[in-house]
Amino acid sequence: METAAAPQGLRFRLLGPLAGWAGEQRLELGRRQQQAFLAMLLAAPGRALAVERLASGVFDEDNPPGNPRSALATHAYRVRRELRNHAAGHLLVTVDGGYRLDLPAEAVDAVAFDRLVARAGEALAAGERPGARDLLARALDLHRGEPLAGLPGPHAAELRRHLTERRLDALETRLGLDVELGSGPSCLVELDQAVFAHPYRERFRALLMLEYHLSDRPEEARAVYEDARRFYRAEGLTCAELDALDRRIRRADPSLATAARPVADRRPTGPAPTVFPEQLPAGLPDFTGRGADVTRLTEALSHPDPGAVVISAINGLGGVGKTSLAVHVGHALRGHFPDGRLHVDLRGAQAAPLDPAEALAAFLTALGVADRDIPADLAERAALYRTTVTGRRLLILLDNAAGPEQVAPLLPGSRTCAVLVTSRAWLSTLPGARHLPLDAMADDEALDLLAAVVGRARTDAEPGAAAAIVTACGRLPLAVRVAGSRLAADPGQSLADLAASLADERTRLGELAHEQAAVEPVLALSYARLTGEQARALRLLALPDAPELGPADAAALLDRGPEQARDLLEALVDLNLLQSPAADRYGFHDLLKVFARQRGAEQDTPASVTAAFARLLDFCAAGARDAENAAHRDPDGHGFSSIEEATAWLRERTALHRAVIQRACRDDGLSLARTVDLLDKMSSILFGRGYVTTVADLAGQVAAAAKARGERDAEALARSVRGGMLWHANSYAEAGGELRGCLALCDGPDRLTLRADTLKLLGANARALRDFEQAVGCLEEAAELFRRQGDESAEGLVLGELAFNHAHCGRLEQARAAAERCVELTGRQVSIPESIGRYYLARVLHLCGDLGPALEQAEHVVERFRSFGMLAFEAATGSLIARIHLSAGRDRATVRAAEEALPKARQVGGLLEGGLLRALGEALTRLGHSDRARICLQQALGHYRQLELAGDAAEVEELLRGLS
């Protein structure tokens, strides 16, 4: 079949981490499992894949989703949405029982690779060997790392293996042509690296051995052969190709040479004297902590891998203790490396890192090679180094590396050696390395380090101050040592005094200096190596008082496109200047954030900082508005695939939204109208106890700022939000005061919606205080206002609350009619208002005595609230279910339902918890468990008294007297 026309420039990469582009713009391919789904379709362009096949390829057998078909549909929806952004949504087609990606095969790099390899095969068959080599080189250049790196699922694993094997086959052929045609020292380096990375592929060793022979370097050729024989013998394997090549070399087989390979002049070499270099710096006498890291490194380095050189790469922020850890481990392993330990400071954090050729010359000299025998060429120097260390038990510490390119020539080829690398950057492309990211110390380890420097008696005498010091130091070992050194140098200074000095973020880095040791210069070295764009990003990303940011947040702050922002984030992560605790989450080490903010205060104008926050505020407000629309109306068209996703998104961003709102209250350049809009959207979804308190506090701050600036509308909405949140927190008296204050501000025709919202909340507040008639008055006015404005959903929710109050006043028919009308107005489709409407109906049906329908409605919506993450409504519905069972005389069912709902109610507020404890106490009384019943009722009474709910308290007191 023909595939649909793809937009010009659409292309995808399988030969490396999965990626896609539309022209020069990189596609947002989502999370790893979604990428695994896309990778299956890319591997079979134009072919339909059944859901069953996709599920077996994308999901691991031991951890499948509950509904694989639904999960795949979500992945398809998100991939199609991203393609639609680039006029390519039509390419992902839903077919009977599966999906098809109508993409031209040439848009996938793996197809291009196969075609180039096939053309190389044709060139070889025609005797065009240089042309074949060029075609293979072009094919290999398409690889950008491990295929589908990091993608989960059986299909990704199998495709990764297949693509890797195809690459190695092509690499063997191309290196064979390099040896045959002659490529100079670079061929030796590449062969050496291939043997190092793939020790079981005999062909690579044979080509390396032949290259040394044709270069007239028989000692090195023989060393390759002997090392291979030892390796394969230890593995229980044979090496027939190498044995045959060795025999041909021994008998000087002339057919090994080719017309294209003139025999090179043999450079003078002589046996190097055996020396045992011991170059490690002295270790710290008070090295503290890092127990798990020490164990991991010592175990890895002291047990040689029969297949490859052991390389452990420690990376982390400057001052985190990489070198101290590496040197400590190196000294601990002295007995495992009898032939010596090499060390070099590669000066990677400085403006001019050490040239690897210079490091190789120092190593070769330390190993006994005469100066006259050290080649000038880097590749030849690296080859001689590998030959020299072959068979020797050496530990090589490459300290403070700038990057993998600097390290690669310094890696030995012999598996008897081990390498320990430290770097401020992630050396992610270093072949075969085991990475150890080093973070700040644990609290107890940091306290132990401070005690080791200061003295245990002083830290034990002031434990609170000691804890404050290590916290201010961000548990960064260098900072803790500097702080400890200051205290050790001044025995009269108390720890509390230093803790107080460190408490001020503005002067903290200046305080963390003593004699020649200081934290700020160490961080400044990393900062100095940044590009201008990276440095600007670091400064701006440090502005919000939030623990983490996402890529879209960063794009708004930086005023950059999504792909450019992501590249900046990942570059800073690779340099260990940002942390990425989870996919698409980025944060700072505490001291680095302080450093970045200080640099920002020096280099960024106040106007540019305000502009950055304004962009972030606009982005947050727009996202919150989309989340509210998705949750309360329809997810489609608002950037979310479900109500659950929208509510979860808003919950996860609470810390960032709090930071932006608090900044807006301090910065007159930021819009309070936009700020209170964000706050209002948060209040429409976040009902849990912790969120309610947060939103209420923020609303108070916004209301105060708006009043000070004379922004009446913003003040009114902020007070309404605060009143609503205080109501959710069971602070009814305080809530009533805020809401009445808001109502006084809603005196114009353009504030009718806010007036109606506030009246609705006042009605709910009066109902909680059992003033049902007052509640009815407020709610009837609110319903009429919403009706005049045509807001059916809002009118429906008011009618649901009104129905409950009518029922409590004994007007059951009015209550039922209002509740049913509530469901009509809110029930157009699944949404938060529709679910709340059904909850209101269940409450009224319960009060009307229709227990069966009431239970059916309640059980229907409780699962909805759970999936939406709406804990308050989930707990309230659980409480209603318990009370319905109680009314029906199903006491054991009441106990089960109440005990299930209680843990959630405790997270929401005392009113709900009190109601559940009361229902539980009544059921237990009827079951004859009077002691338990009394405890539950006493706890319920405590809640009602604390909330000053006299009517509820009196009813529980009567129940307790009945128990007596």
Side-chain angles (χ1 to χ4, degrees), residues 379-392:
E380 292 191 353
R381 195 173 285 188
L384 176 60
Y385 162 68
R386 290 189 174 94
T387 300
T388 304
V389 301
T390 294
R392 302 180 68 174

Side-chain angles (χ1 to χ4, degrees), residues 434-473:
R434 303 175 185 180
H435 297 281
L436 175 63
L438 204 59
D439 204 347
M441 303 180 88
D443 286 330
D444 57 342
E445 291 185 340
L447 286 168
D448 286 343
L449 176 57
L450 183 65
V453 179
V454 176
R456 178 68 65 179
R458 292 179 71 182
T459 57
D460 286 350
E462 297 183 77
I469 289 170
V470 299
T471 298
C473 292

Side-chain angles (χ1 to χ4, degrees), residues 818-862:
E820 289 173 349
R821 181 61 176 157
C822 163
V823 171
E824 287 178 22
L825 293 175
T826 59
R828 310 292 188 205
Q829 60 189 4
V830 174
S831 66
I832 287 178
E834 181 264 352
S835 302
I836 295 174
R838 290 185 178 277
Y839 163 70
Y840 283 146
L841 177 61
R843 288 199 308 183
V844 170
L845 289 172
H846 172 229
L847 293 174
C848 291
D850 293 340
L851 303 184
L855 184 62
E856 181 181 349
Q857 292 288 346
E859 289 180 336
H860 178 70
V861 296
V862 72

Side-chain angles (χ1 to χ4, degrees), residues 170-194:
L171 182 61
E172 279 187 353
T173 305
R174 201 219 74 205
L175 286 172
L177 289 169
D178 284 346
V179 171
E180 179 182 341
L181 300 173
S183 291
S186 63
C187 179
L188 273 175
V189 174
E190 205 168 350
L191 280 167
D192 210 24
Q193 291 173 343

Side-chain angles (χ1 to χ4, degrees), residues 425-688:
W426 272 87
L427 305 179
S428 53
T429 59
L430 191 62
R434 303 175 185 180
H435 297 281
L436 175 63
L438 204 59
D439 204 347
M441 303 180 88
D443 286 330
D444 57 342
E445 291 185 340
L447 286 168
D448 286 343
L449 176 57
L450 183 65
V453 179
V454 176
R456 178 68 65 179
R458 292 179 71 182
T459 57
D460 286 350
E462 297 183 77
I469 289 170
V470 299
T471 298
C473 292
R475 307 185 313 282
L476 192 73
L478 173 62
V480 175
R481 281 191 176 277
V482 170
S485 297
R486 284 191 54 179
L487 290 166
D490 184 1
Q493 183 181 19
S494 70
L495 273 67
D497 286 344
L498 180 58
S501 299
L502 295 174
D504 188 344
E505 181 182 294
R506 295 168 298 179
T507 58
R508 186 177 303 163
L509 289 176
E511 294 288 339
L512 289 173
H514 179 67
E515 295 182 350
Q516 301 303 310
V519 173
E520 186 169 10
V522 173
L523 301 180
L525 280 175
S526 294
Y527 183 76
R529 290 182 58 81
L530 298 178
T531 65
E533 186 75 359
Q534 289 170 342
R536 173 183 178 270
L538 190 75
R539 299 192 304 271
L540 293 182
L541 292 170
L543 290 173
D545 285 318
E548 294 175 358
L549 295 172
D553 307 316
L557 259 177
L558 303 178
D559 198 18
R560 298 292 183 264
E563 191 53 40
Q564 188 178 0
R566 187 183 292 275
D567 288 344
L568 285 166
L569 289 166
E570 291 298 329
L572 293 171
V573 169
D574 288 343
L575 294 169
N576 276 298
L577 295 176
L578 280 183
Q579 300 164 337
S580 183
D584 288 342
R585 307 309 303 160
Y586 301 89
F588 279 87
H589 180 275
D590 292 345
L591 282 181
L592 188 57
K593 177 174 277 193
V594 172
F595 172 85
R597 286 177 174 175
Q598 288 189 1
R599 286 294 189 270
E602 297 166 1
Q603 298 176 326
D604 298 321
T605 65
S608 68
V609 171
T610 294
F613 268 109
R615 292 189 297 268
L616 183 58
L617 173 59
D618 287 347
F619 173 75
C620 291
R625 193 158 46 249
D626 283 340
E628 187 206 34
N629 283 326
H632 287 265
R633 296 169 183 84
D634 180 8
D636 290 339
H638 295 290
F640 296 96
S641 62
S642 66
I643 297 171
E644 292 85 348
E645 183 183 350
T647 56
W649 181 87
L650 202 55
R651 284 196 304 274
E652 291 166 0
R653 297 174 60 80
T654 302
L656 176 60
H657 289 167
R658 177 176 57 217
V660 173
I661 290 168
Q662 288 175 333
R663 174 73 189 203
C665 292
R666 301 190 304 268
D667 190 337
D668 290 349
L670 295 175
S671 166
L672 281 183
R674 186 61 54 87
T675 303
V676 78
D677 181 48
L678 168 60
L679 191 66
D680 183 43
K681 301 306 178 279
M682 293 171 67
S683 73
S684 73
I685 291 175
L686 303 177
F687 298 116

Side-chain angles (χ1 to χ4, degrees), residues 103-359:
L103 193 71
E106 60 269 18
V108 182
D109 64 349
V111 175
F113 175 88
D114 288 340
R115 290 178 178 176
L116 286 167
V117 171
R119 287 174 58 194
E122 294 169 0
L124 277 175
E128 300 172 0
R129 309 183 89 69
R133 178 171 66 178
D134 292 343
L135 287 166
L136 289 169
R138 286 171 55 193
L140 291 165
D141 282 345
L142 294 174
H143 277 264
R144 291 293 183 269
E146 182 184 39
L148 306 178
L151 292 197
H155 174 268
E158 177 57 28
L159 184 57
R160 186 180 300 118
R161 185 202 62 76
H162 170 74
L163 295 174
T164 299
E165 195 66 24
R166 290 279 293 152
R167 174 187 172 275
L168 293 176
D169 290 343
L171 182 61
E172 279 187 353
T173 305
R174 201 219 74 205
L175 286 172
L177 289 169
D178 284 346
V179 171
E180 179 182 341
L181 300 173
S183 291
S186 63
C187 179
L188 273 175
V189 174
E190 205 168 350
L191 280 167
D192 210 24
Q193 291 173 343
V195 169
F196 170 63
H198 309 285
Y200 288 94
R201 291 186 79 101
E202 189 179 356
R203 181 62 178 156
F204 285 141
R205 294 181 187 268
L207 289 171
L208 180 59
M209 185 175 167
L210 179 59
E211 176 65 21
Y212 274 129
H213 169 70
L214 294 176
S215 301
D216 197 20
R217 295 164 67 171
E219 291 90 350
E220 287 95 333
R222 187 69 188 171
V224 171
Y225 177 61
E226 294 296 340
D227 188 59
R229 285 186 66 199
R230 283 192 298 271
F231 168 74
Y232 288 121
R233 191 176 294 126
E235 294 293 296
L237 302 171
T238 60
C239 49
E241 182 179 0
L242 287 166
D243 289 339
L245 178 60
D246 180 61
R247 289 192 294 271
R248 293 177 67 191
I249 290 174
R250 285 176 180 275
R251 67 172 182 263
D253 186 342
S255 66
L256 289 174
T258 68
R261 289 298 304 270
V263 177
D265 292 334
R266 185 176 178 187
R267 61 178 175 78
T269 59
T274 301
V275 293
F276 304 97
E278 288 292 350
Q279 297 184 331
L280 290 189
L284 292 171
D286 56 359
F287 181 87
T288 303
R290 304 294 192 192
D293 297 323
V294 170
T295 300
R296 177 178 169 184
L297 288 169
T298 52
E299 287 183 354
L301 295 166
S302 61
H303 295 86
D305 185 334
V309 178
V310 174
I311 304 173
S312 291
I314 307 172
N315 66 82
L317 176 68
V320 81
K322 301 179 296 295
T323 297
S324 299
L325 173 61
V327 169
H328 178 79
V329 169
H331 283 294
L333 290 172
R334 179 173 186 173
H336 291 275
F337 297 98
D339 293 323
R341 292 166 297 174
L342 296 169
H343 170 268
V344 63
D345 179 1
L346 294 171
R347 304 198 298 265
Q350 298 182 17
L354 185 68
D355 189 328
E358 188 176 340

